[in-house]
Amino acid sequence: WEVVINIKSHVNLAMIYSFQGNIDMAKDVLNTRWLLIYIPVYIFSIWDSYRTTVDLNKIYVLAERENHRFNTFSIGAMEINYLDKRNPILSVFWSLVMPGLGQLYIHRIIGAFFVIIWAVVFFYYSHLLEGISLLFLGEIKQANAVLNKEWLLFFPSLYGFATFDSYINTVENNKLAERVQKNFFEKTYQHPSFCIAKGKKVE
């Protein structure tokens, strides 16, 4: 939705002109019929993400206090998925190589598929790879001419999201893996009468 509305309203093109100081060109290129659709949904998505985050934080506190169990292993049609510790630096590295590979590294298949598909679309319509190959050949003017700047401006948000999402999810998955190990050791090896009171020293 965001890509379609952005392209139809020429938001990225207006941003490019405004960065260059051509404010009048930025005003002329904007399509207000599409832009007015863009604004309310953009505001709603910000509000809804904040509201959902607050609700999820409350659920997290309840699950933490109840010491609620969660699924750590599943076999499905798409893959065998399991909870284990991963390296956050590797997830960032693979996301920088190609958006979506960081999500694949931590087994988030749906998210990886979504990001990779859009990365391919952006690479195709922006002619970025074509521009890079011309740049390696020393054809700087031709490399600049072949680039579609309107599509090229999608890459910062795509790379930013893919990198941030894979890093944060790797860190949080590692915390869950540690919690599972802790609960396993407590239930398997810790004596039932053993207790450490919070905030007190045990002698």
Side-chain angles (χ1 to χ4, degrees):
W1 177 91
E2 196 274 339
V3 173
V4 172
I5 303 300
N6 193 307
I7 291 296
K8 292 290 186 181
S9 62
H10 304 293
V11 171
N12 283 354
L13 203 55
M15 287 172 62
I16 292 167
Y17 288 141
S18 64
F19 291 158
Q20 295 170 345
N22 300 321
I23 306 301
D24 291 333
M25 291 180 69
K27 289 178 181 177
D28 291 338
V29 80
L30 279 173
N31 186 332
T32 52
R33 291 175 63 190
W34 285 97
L35 187 65
L36 292 174
I37 301 172
Y38 191 92
I39 294 169
V41 179
Y42 195 79
I43 293 170
F44 170 79
S45 65
I46 294 171
W47 171 80
D48 187 60
S49 64
Y50 175 81
R51 178 191 61 82
T52 305
T53 303
V54 171
D55 288 343
L56 288 175
N57 286 343
K58 292 175 182 177
I59 293 169
Y60 165 78
V61 171
L62 288 173
E64 184 78 10
R65 289 179 180 174
E66 293 175 358
N67 199 19
H68 192 72
R69 292 184 64 188
F70 45 87
N71 191 16
T72 59
F73 189 92
S74 70
I75 299 176
M78 295 185 68
E79 68 162 357
I80 299 173
N81 207 348
Y82 54 91
L83 181 65
D84 65 342
K85 295 188 75 173
R86 305 286 172 121
N87 188 341
I89 303 301
L90 276 178
S91 65
V92 169
F93 169 76
W94 285 117
S95 293
L96 292 174
V97 170
M98 173 69 178
L101 293 184
Q103 280 75 15
L104 272 181
Y105 172 66
I106 57 173
H107 293 186
R108 295 177 67 87
I109 302 300
I110 304 299
F113 180 77
F114 178 81
V115 174
I116 289 172
I117 289 297
W118 278 112
V120 170
V121 171
F122 294 157
F123 273 117
Y124 180 79
Y125 284 105
S126 67
H127 302 281
L128 179 60
L129 298 180
E130 190 179 348
I132 291 172
S133 63
L134 288 169
L135 188 63
F136 285 151
L137 294 172
E139 304 288 342
I140 298 174
K141 289 184 179 179
Q142 197 174 349
N144 285 332
V146 80
L147 290 175
N148 186 327
K149 297 174 181 63
E150 192 170 13
W151 283 92
L152 192 65
L153 213 57
F154 283 114
F155 277 106
S157 57
L158 179 70
Y159 268 95
F161 166 77
T163 305
F164 175 78
D165 180 71
S166 63
Y167 176 80
I168 290 298
N169 280 300
T170 305
V171 171
E172 294 303 320
N173 284 349
N174 288 348
K175 290 179 183 178
L176 286 178
E178 289 174 0
R179 178 117 187 134
V180 168
Q181 289 178 337
K182 176 179 174 288
N183 289 342
F184 173 77
F185 287 131
E186 282 180 353
K187 290 177 181 178
T188 308
Y189 299 107
Q190 184 171 296
H191 196 276
S193 63
F194 181 80
C195 179
I196 298 177
K198 292 183 178 179
K200 297 180 180 179
K201 291 183 178 180
V202 178
E203 300 180 4

